[in-house]
Amino acid sequence: MTHDRLDLVSKLYQPSGWPRILEAASGSPSGAPLVVDLDPTTFCDLACPECISGKLLNQGRFTPERLAALAEELVALSVRAVVLIGGGEPLAHRGTRRVLRILGEAGLAVGVVTNGTMIRQNLTELAQYASWVRVSVDAGTAETYGRFRPDRKGRSVFDKVIGNMRLLAAEKKGALGYSFLVMSRQEPDGTTVTNHHEVLRAAELAHDIGCDYFETKAMFDDDHHIVQVPRTMLDSVDRQLAEAARLESDRFQLVNSSTLTSLRGHVGPVQPKAYDRCRVAELRTLITPSGVYVCAYHRGNPLARIGDAVTEDLATIWQKSDRGIVDPSRDCRFHCARHRSNLELERIAEGTGEPPLTEDYDPFL
């Protein structure tokens, strides 16, 4: 049986997580999260003008010793999947290789979101232990890459990133993804700079590299609202993706994020929510050097901070914290990828959900 790995609702029904799903659906505090986003560091070697985490960069990192201890605590809590992300660039921390080994050897699924500049230094562990690696490229040429993803000296490191991806494609056990965020900005002289015209070229490059998928996404603003784009730009992206469809096979997929789907459906930047407690917050959490937060959408928000993983162990933080401090109807009016999961958890609580599946297929809820 094949499953849509983007269907977050169906993932709730996998048998290994079902007891904690029932806990979360009932509104009871869960014993531990099933999935954790982990920021090893807030440092990044690129200086992307549109970076949604720009205000949170360079505000600390875990020591290698504490990072390794965190990995052991995640294993002890029976977390099923960990996403190494940021914040900063997760592969910039010299302790990340050890984290990949600890988690991978314990049988946890590990995802990595990276800018790709440091894949070579982490190649052995990424190839061996990562369930998937998604590289944020956002361009199909070195010139456009340099406009949207320059390094700290303003240079384009596009060729380095693509070369690193080829190295990983040749050795990986998990999946490799090429991520393309559709972006545009107005320069001081009034001209518009965009990358949308390179979607097809980037998809062809992803296929040539040996990636398993090519993902197209829409931009968020600093408050996580989807940035609306001109219809002409969206039409251009769709035409290019239609042409790129010839590349698809059992080994290569085109993936559309929920943000791009929302733009196509003319969904505005606000996503109202009628519930005052996020049940998914009992299943997922975010750990960063600056604190543990209810979820990744609230990274850096002091009102959503539930603990300090630098000084406290995760089991204690989870036991004593209230994940209900965030009210989705008030605090989460942006587009949330797990809104439908929250609605489904309500159905499960009411007894109108589906029966659990007979097999696991993807722990990244």
Side-chain angles (χ1 to χ4, degrees):
M1 180 186 296
T2 59
H3 298 278
D4 180 357
R5 292 177 183 270
L6 290 182
D7 185 353
L8 298 175
V9 170
S10 292
K11 291 183 186 182
L12 297 174
Y13 289 96
Q14 296 173 98
S16 66
W18 189 242
R20 271 184 267 182
I21 297 296
L22 291 176
E23 275 184 336
S26 71
S28 302
S30 66
L34 286 170
V35 184
V36 168
D37 290 325
L38 173 60
D39 296 359
T41 181
T42 61
F43 169 78
C44 186
D45 56 323
L46 298 187
C48 310
E50 281 75 26
C51 179
I52 196 171
S53 299
K55 297 175 184 176
L56 305 174
L57 296 179
N58 303 312
Q59 295 185 15
R61 67 183 184 99
F62 293 111
T63 65
E65 296 75 21
R66 180 59 188 136
L67 193 58
L70 279 171
E72 298 284 6
E73 290 169 23
L74 292 170
V75 173
L77 283 170
S78 298
V79 170
R80 293 177 60 221
V82 177
V83 181
L84 299 175
I85 192 170
E89 165 52 46
L91 299 184
H93 197 301
R94 62 188 176 92
T96 296
R97 291 194 295 275
R98 187 176 176 192
V99 169
L100 283 163
R101 285 196 302 272
I102 292 170
L103 298 177
E105 290 175 2
L108 276 71
V110 186
V112 181
V113 179
T114 175
N115 63 30
T117 62
M118 302 183 195
I119 286 175
R120 181 187 291 268
Q121 299 94 308
N122 297 271
L123 182 61
T124 298
E125 289 78 12
L126 289 172
Q128 177 72 22
Y129 299 117
S131 302
W132 52 263
V133 176
R134 190 177 77 224
V135 184
S136 303
V137 186
D138 307 332
T141 65
E143 180 184 7
T144 297
Y145 185 95
R147 288 175 176 165
F148 288 97
R149 303 191 65 80
D151 70 7
R152 292 183 169 271
K153 294 184 179 180
R155 301 169 300 189
S156 174
V157 292
F158 179 77
D159 292 340
K160 176 182 180 179
V161 170
I162 298 305
N164 284 345
M165 293 175 73
R166 291 188 189 280
L167 289 175
L168 183 56
E171 297 192 27
K172 65 183 175 61
K173 290 185 177 179
L176 174 61
Y178 189 124
S179 179
F180 193 107
L181 185 66
V182 178
M183 294 186 286
S184 67
R185 68 169 176 265
Q186 193 142 23
E187 301 287 35
D189 64 3
T191 59
T192 299
V193 177
T194 180
N195 65 349
H196 79 274
H197 57 287
E198 291 191 356
V199 166
L200 175 59
R201 186 165 185 168
E204 291 172 338
L205 180 56
H207 183 268
D208 181 68
I209 289 168
C211 293
D212 297 273
Y213 66 91
F214 175 79
E215 181 178 19
T216 319
K217 300 185 290 185
M219 276 183 67
F220 285 119
D221 63 19
D222 288 349
D223 296 317
H224 289 283
H225 297 292
I226 297 175
V227 175
Q228 307 299 295
V229 301
R231 188 73 223 180
T232 52
M233 187 182 297
L234 188 58
D235 287 344
S236 170
V237 170
D238 284 343
R239 282 195 300 272
Q240 293 174 76
L241 289 175
E243 187 172 345
R246 60 182 162 76
L247 303 170
E248 288 197 283
S249 68
D250 291 342
R251 292 182 294 177
F252 182 75
Q253 285 185 298
L254 299 178
V255 176
N256 284 318
S257 73
S258 59
T259 56
L260 203 63
T261 302
S262 294
L263 283 181
R264 290 193 185 99
H266 307 288
V267 176
V270 172
Q271 183 188 61
K273 298 171 181 69
Y275 46 90
D276 59 12
R277 188 176 184 100
C278 176
R279 288 172 165 89
V280 175
E282 297 298 330
L283 303 173
R284 291 187 64 107
T285 200
L286 167 69
I287 301 170
T288 81
S290 66
V292 180
Y293 297 91
V294 167
C295 81
Y297 287 104
H298 288 283
R299 179 184 274 108
N301 176 5
L303 299 179
R305 190 175 185 269
I306 59 174
D308 180 2
V310 173
T311 59
E312 299 174 284
D313 72 273
L314 297 180
T316 301
I317 291 172
W318 199 256
Q319 185 176 18
K320 75 174 188 179
S321 64
D322 176 13
R323 274 79 67 187
I325 57 175
V326 168
D327 178 346
S329 67
R330 177 193 66 209
D331 304 319
C332 309
R333 292 176 60 78
F334 45 73
H335 173 93
C336 175
R338 290 168 180 82
H339 172 53
R340 289 183 59 242
S341 297
N342 266 313
L343 298 179
E344 192 68 17
L345 286 166
E346 288 185 358
R347 287 187 64 217
I348 292 171
E350 294 165 355
T352 59
E354 305 296 324
L357 300 169
T358 58
E359 61 181 7
D360 291 334
Y361 66 94
D362 186 346
F364 295 94
L365 302 172

